[in-house]
Amino acid sequence: ETAAEQLTPHELQIAVLVSQGMTNREAAGALFLSPKTIEYHLGQIYRKLDVHSRSQLVAALAALAAEKDTAAS
């Protein structure tokens, strides 16, 4: 099971928004959730992807995208 498959669709959506530079508050507004809910999901995302910062999250999602591109070719 790949890291992307470990994330729920909701978690993946949050991970993408945050990796694009959105704050927790901005991501919450975009998804009609509370910032606390975003914070909770980010904790789950970090644990599942074994990352500890937003910059590591960006790198992890870039690696996942590269894997998908390679698999699709």
Side-chain angles (χ1 to χ4, degrees):
E1 185 173 47
T2 67
E5 292 169 340
Q6 293 176 23
L7 297 180
T8 66
H10 202 69
E11 288 170 342
L12 187 56
Q13 188 176 31
I14 290 167
V16 168
L17 291 178
V18 169
S19 71
Q20 292 173 341
M22 283 192 174
T23 65
N24 288 6
R25 186 174 298 279
E26 291 168 339
L31 298 174
F32 303 102
L33 299 170
S34 76
K36 281 287 192 191
T37 301
I38 297 295
E39 187 178 314
Y40 169 78
H41 284 297
L42 270 178
Q44 299 298 311
I45 293 163
Y46 280 21
R47 184 181 54 76
K48 288 179 180 181
L49 297 181
D50 194 30
V51 298
H52 305 286
S53 69
R54 286 177 185 253
S55 59
Q56 286 181 334
L57 177 61
V58 171
L61 289 183
L64 292 174
E67 284 177 19
K68 278 188 175 182
D69 289 345
T70 303
S73 298

